[in-house]
Amino acid sequence: MIDLSNSLLRLLTTPDAYGPSVFGWLITGSFGILAIVYAFLKWQRRTSLNWIKAAAKAKKKVWKRLNVPLSHHSWTEEFAYDVQPCTCSVCLTSLVSPQTLGAKATPQNPVHRCSVCGVAAHFHCSKFAAKDCKCVAQAGFGHVQHQWSERWIDMDDNHEMSAFCFYCDEPCGVPLLDAPTWHCLWCQRLIHVKCHAKMSEESGDVCDLGALRRLILSPICVKEVDEEITRSRMLSSITGDIIASSVCGEIRRRRHRNKHGSVRSVNGKLQNTSPANTALQYVLNGLASLKQSSNQNKDPILKRGGRVLSGKDTQNGWQKKGRSVPYGQVKKYTLVDLPQDARPLLVFINTKSGAQYGPSLRRRLNMLLNPVQVFELSSSQGPEAGLNFFSNVQYFRVLVCGGDGTVAWVLDAIERHNFESPPPVAVLPLGTGNDLSRVLQWGRGFSTVNGQGGLSTLLADINIAAVTMLDRWEVNIQEERSDSDRCKVQSKFMMNYLGIGCDAKVAYEFHTMREEKPEKFYSQFVNKLRYAKEGAKDIMDRTCADLPWQVWLEVDGRDIQIPKDAEGLIVLNIGSYMGGVDLWQNDYEHDDDFNLQCMHDKMLEVVCISGAWHLGKLQVGLSQARRVAQGKVIRIHASSAFPVQIDGEPFIQQPGCLEITHHGQVFMLRRASEEPRGHPAAIMTEVLVDAECRGVINAAQKKLLLQQMALQLS
């Protein structure tokens, strides 16, 4: 390579050679290649656009004949959009102007994106969009029909296996080489436009909801609740009761008077003032004002940057006509005629977890599932809304999209709901550490989910996941008070670990910074860097070096000596800490007589660490934690204030006592494809669930059998 460079340099610098002309030809050839590449990309773009236009025109021709229940789009405004889709679904032109090709959209070029089906449109085109979004409530229909649409977004995670026509099994979905293609918004199958007529004649366009049919809440089991009719019926009943009560009471009191009521003069005219008419007039006036108020509040809304715009807002051409309402805001639904063997998935998404993937993740889940089974968690809406919606479902599963704190939030709500057969919970990791997700084999982060086949593969694995048990522990926090004050006890729940000392201090500083400046914590990698930065500060400070003299440990009634070099104590329930560190290390040989760690053996493990530097070496596998104790009841006494964290939620513990006792066990879903005995466990779980549905066993017997199975397979 060096010799070639020297030869080329001599050729270009020789005055009587062909150096300058060769250099000119190289420059000309480079520009020619760039021009060819640009022309090819432009031709490819034009071909793809014509391919989509052909599919759209073909759909319009058979639109009336399909007779599929449809719904308006639920538009949300975005200032930056993904690579898909890049074509407006209304005018069929590019969403990206030539000046911004290859770059993200600027705030001057907003787009509207449907939160249900994922299509996009120009800001000024969305009000002319056709009513062709999937209808989530189809109660009263005999079966679900295919809802064919243009393939605006590629939702296939395995292109080699899924890019085949549903009817002819020939490759499809390639704009440059194939005929126009439709895809079903429910089952995600592809079909050639030319094959649709033949398939429709043979099968009648009946959709079985595809490979995820057991997880999808069928739209024919969802009914939209008309609040207008419900309110009018209620008010009509109230009106009748008021009138009847008023008339009867007045008749009883004035039976000796004229039954037509008294007559008085108003402005020279005789007026009938019977109590019935008075009550009726009062109620009618109330109904009129209520109707007027209801009509004023009927203006559709649009999410924009986290706030809500009314339909009256005409900024940028936004008008009231033809607007749609985002789900969960105005429309209400109920479940009807759900089959006994239905196993739908209830999804909770915490949009604030970790790198804040929530909004885009919700849109993708809306496209794969029924949007009414996807709930967003916030300060104003907890898990109770989704659990109440699924309260009449005998058996369902729960997917929590968030960090370990979100999982604990949902588990608390499930316990309060007091289900006879509590639903098992799977985890889609969106947090920073995601320790529980690692133990249950669901991955260490959202990026690994995409690397393992994407959301479709994850949902398929949930469908065949094995049920296991997880211990939950109650932490009673008691602060020392003067003799005149009563001791105040506060209770929290723990499922992963509890730390006191240097590790909790690092977590507390990280948590405080994230609360003050949340915009800086936009990715899991950046979050870990900031976490490491706080750990480096504590290496120099060593604020918890006096822990062995200020804290003492009691396990099952026995005092345990804390090593003199310890700067932190960690109580473990699972085999993952601080983003995947195995502190107890079951796979290694130890010179003590402690038992193996298990997340459902009703036992806790205690280890100690000697500072933030030791914590960093544990993270990279260069050291081991010191195993201190193992027991069922843990008490930690502190004579001074220390930072404490419970499942990653830090706080400052004042002088007092922490007592950890077993609270109970919850059902969790463990990924079966990652374990050799996972598939038999999943099959056994399904057998037990079917037996409960058929009445062969009850919920208590099923729970006991699942517990024993989890113990034997662990």
Side-chain angles (χ1 to χ4, degrees):
M1 180 64 68
I2 296 177
D3 295 338
L4 180 61
S5 300
N6 292 333
S7 301
L8 183 60
L9 184 60
R10 283 196 301 269
L11 180 63
L12 294 177
T13 56
T14 302
D16 56 347
Y18 296 99
S21 60
V22 171
F23 182 74
W25 280 108
L26 287 176
I27 296 297
T28 305
S30 300
F31 278 106
I33 293 174
L34 291 176
I36 293 174
V37 171
Y38 177 79
F40 174 77
L41 293 177
K42 195 171 182 179
W43 171 80
Q44 184 184 31
R45 169 66 185 160
R46 189 185 306 111
T47 305
S48 300
L49 194 59
N50 293 334
W51 188 73
I52 293 177
K53 287 182 179 180
K57 292 179 180 178
K59 189 179 73 172
K60 289 182 179 179
K61 292 180 180 179
V62 297
W63 192 256
K64 295 182 179 179
R65 185 170 55 85
L66 291 178
N67 195 24
V68 179
L70 301 172
S71 179
H72 288 291
H73 290 287
S74 298
W75 297 115
T76 58
E77 184 176 328
E78 293 186 0
F79 289 108
Y81 44 84
D82 303 330
V83 177
Q84 302 183 75
C86 56
T87 305
C88 176
S89 61
V90 180
C91 65
L92 302 180
T93 59
S94 176
L95 289 171
V96 186
S97 62
Q99 292 79 10
T100 58
L101 273 172
K104 288 187 176 181
T106 60
Q108 288 75 24
N109 297 308
V111 296
H112 279 163
R113 186 82 174 265
C114 180
S115 60
V116 175
C117 64
V119 302
H122 290 111
F123 196 75
H124 56 276
C125 292
S126 58
K127 58 179 172 287
F128 302 109
K131 183 182 177 182
D132 58 354
C133 192
K134 65 180 181 181
C135 182
V136 301
Q138 303 180 19
F141 288 82
H143 58 268
V144 182
Q145 300 183 50
H146 285 294
Q147 186 167 340
W148 302 111
S149 176
E150 304 87 345
R151 198 183 187 193
W152 303 105
I153 298 178
D154 187 6
M155 286 297 295
D156 298 323
D157 300 307
N158 192 343
H159 302 277
E160 291 78 10
M161 298 299 296
S162 58
F164 291 91
C165 178
F166 173 51
Y167 180 77
C168 66
D169 290 331
E170 295 294 331
C172 67
V174 183
L176 302 180
L177 305 175
D178 205 358
T181 302
W182 289 338
H183 97 284
C184 179
L185 296 179
W186 287 109
C187 65
Q188 310 302 323
R189 292 189 177 102
L190 301 178
I191 189 171
H192 292 120
V193 174
K194 60 183 180 182
C195 296
H196 173 260
K198 300 177 183 178
M199 189 217 67
S200 182
E201 294 177 359
E202 296 179 3
S203 62
D205 249 7
V206 177
C207 180
D208 62 355
L209 301 181
L212 303 177
R213 65 181 67 90
R214 300 197 65 187
L215 299 179
I216 298 175
L217 186 60
S218 176
I220 62 175
C221 299
V222 181
K223 181 180 180 181
E224 183 176 346
V225 179
D226 194 336
E227 293 186 342
E228 294 284 332
I229 296 178
T230 303
R231 182 162 55 242
S232 64
R233 288 177 178 175
M234 180 182 65
L235 290 176
S236 297
S237 176
I238 295 175
T239 302
D241 293 341
I242 292 176
I243 293 174
S245 177
S246 301
V247 171
C248 293
E250 191 70 16
I251 289 176
R252 282 195 301 268
R253 290 192 301 267
R254 302 184 180 185
R255 185 170 296 178
H256 61 282
R257 297 184 180 181
N258 193 313
K259 66 178 180 178
H260 295 292
S262 60
V263 179
R264 59 177 179 167
S265 175
V266 178
N267 295 331
K269 296 183 180 180
L270 295 178
Q271 301 290 330
N272 191 335
T273 59
S274 67
N277 290 337
T278 304
L280 180 61
Q281 184 66 31
Y282 175 81
V283 172
L284 290 178
N285 290 337
L287 290 175
S289 62
L290 180 62
K291 181 177 179 61
Q292 182 180 3
S293 174
S294 175
N295 290 334
Q296 291 176 354
N297 294 331
K298 271 187 177 180
D299 292 332
I301 58 178
L302 171 72
K303 292 181 179 178
R304 177 179 178 182
R307 70 184 182 94
V308 177
L309 295 178
S310 69
K312 296 179 180 179
D313 192 346
T314 58
Q315 181 182 3
N316 295 329
W318 178 257
Q319 297 179 359
K320 179 177 176 180
K321 183 179 179 181
R323 294 283 59 90
S324 306
V325 182
Y327 290 100
Q329 301 257 348
V330 173
K331 293 186 177 181
K332 302 294 181 182
Y333 303 93
T334 185
L335 300 181
V336 295
D337 301 330
L338 201 67
Q340 188 178 10
D341 60 344
R343 308 285 189 271
L345 183 68
L346 174 61
V347 182
F348 294 110
I349 302 178
N350 188 351
T351 57
K352 303 298 183 182
S353 292
Q356 303 180 8
Y357 291 111
S360 61
L361 177 62
R362 179 176 185 177
R363 182 168 55 242
R364 293 173 63 184
L365 287 170
N366 283 345
M367 296 166 65
L368 292 171
L369 304 172
N370 192 328
V372 301
Q373 63 188 114
V374 181
F375 289 81
E376 185 175 318
L377 299 178
S378 64
S379 57
S380 60
Q381 176 176 282
E384 291 77 13
L387 295 174
N388 291 333
F389 183 64
F390 272 61
S391 59
N392 294 327
V393 182
Q394 184 175 7
Y395 182 80
F396 63 96
R397 286 159 285 190
V398 174
L399 173 62
V400 179
C401 306
D404 293 337
T406 307
V407 177
W409 186 10
V410 174
L411 290 177
D412 288 341
I414 292 176
E415 182 179 357
R416 290 195 301 269
H417 206 281
N418 196 22
F419 285 99
E420 182 181 4
S421 182
V425 179
V427 184
L428 195 160
L430 297 182
T432 302
N434 304 312
D435 292 291
L436 184 60
S437 174
R438 295 169 188 265
V439 172
L440 297 174
Q441 307 297 329
W442 294 113
R444 63 180 183 271
F446 188 62
S447 58
T448 61
V449 173
N450 288 327
Q452 294 175 350
L455 282 178
S456 298
T457 302
L458 178 80
L459 294 175
D461 287 341
I462 292 176
N463 196 25
I464 59 172
V467 176
T468 187
M469 309 300 297
L470 174 68
D471 289 326
R472 293 191 76 208
W473 301 83
E474 184 176 5
V475 183
N476 292 321
I477 306 170
Q478 181 177 346
E479 296 182 5
E480 289 184 355
R481 301 275 183 172
S482 61
D483 295 337
S484 59
D485 297 335
R486 294 185 58 185
C487 293
K488 182 179 180 181
V489 179
Q490 181 184 5
S491 296
K492 293 179 178 289
F493 291 104
M494 182 194 83
M495 60 182 182
N496 295 352
Y497 45 76
L498 179 147
I500 179 171
C502 64
D503 70 305
K505 179 182 180 298
V506 174
Y508 183 78
E509 297 294 338
F510 175 82
H511 176 76
T512 303
M513 184 184 301
R514 184 166 60 177
E515 289 293 321
E516 293 176 352
K517 301 176 181 178
E519 68 278 359
K520 292 186 176 182
F521 298 82
Y522 52 84
S523 74
Q524 188 178 20
F525 178 73
V526 172
N527 293 353
K528 289 186 175 181
L529 289 180
R530 296 188 181 278
Y531 205 97
K533 178 183 176 182
E534 296 301 327
K537 289 182 181 179
D538 191 69
I539 293 177
M540 306 300 296
D541 297 339
R542 296 196 62 194
T543 54
C544 299
D546 59 344
L547 182 138
W549 293 271
Q550 302 292 333
V551 174
W552 59 96
L553 175 66
E554 180 184 341
V555 179
D556 291 340
R558 296 180 294 108
D559 290 336
I560 304 297
Q561 184 177 5
I562 300 175
K564 301 301 181 183
D565 61 342
E567 295 187 23
L569 286 177
I570 303 174
V571 183
L572 301 170
N573 183 46
I574 63 174
S576 179
Y577 170 77
M578 200 176 64
V581 180
D582 185 6
L583 296 180
W584 196 251
Q585 296 183 334
N586 283 341
D587 298 333
Y588 289 83
E589 293 185 2
H590 302 274
D591 56 357
D592 51 43
D593 57 352
F594 294 126
N595 297 325
L596 296 177
Q597 184 185 41
C598 184
M599 65 180 181
H600 45 66
D601 61 353
K602 302 179 183 179
M603 297 280 288
L604 289 172
E605 291 74 35
V606 184
V607 299
C608 70
I609 54 177
S610 55
W613 177 250
H614 187 201
L615 205 62
K617 292 194 294 184
L618 288 171
Q619 183 72 40
V620 296
L622 297 179
S623 183
Q624 295 181 357
R626 185 178 302 178
R627 311 205 310 181
V628 175
Q630 191 176 40
K632 296 183 178 180
V633 179
I634 310 293
R635 291 186 179 91
I636 301 175
H637 305 267
S639 59
S640 62
F642 271 93
V644 176
Q645 67 156 329
I646 300 177
D647 292 341
E649 301 297 329
F651 59 94
I652 299 298
Q653 169 63 29
Q654 299 302 321
C657 176
L658 299 173
E659 184 183 39
I660 310 173
T661 56
H662 191 261
H663 177 73
Q665 291 183 322
V666 293
F667 290 113
M668 303 297 294
L669 287 173
R670 191 176 189 127
R671 199 171 200 161
S673 59
E674 301 293 329
E675 300 178 358
R677 289 182 290 183
H679 288 295
I683 294 174
M684 294 172 63
T685 299
E686 189 63 27
V687 170
L688 293 178
V689 172
D690 286 336
E692 182 190 7
C693 291
R694 298 176 185 273
V696 179
I697 60 176
N698 56 33
Q701 292 171 331
K702 185 197 74 172
K703 181 178 181 179
L704 180 61
L705 291 172
L706 286 175
Q707 288 174 338
Q708 294 300 319
M709 183 179 69
L711 289 172
Q712 295 298 324
L713 294 177
S714 62

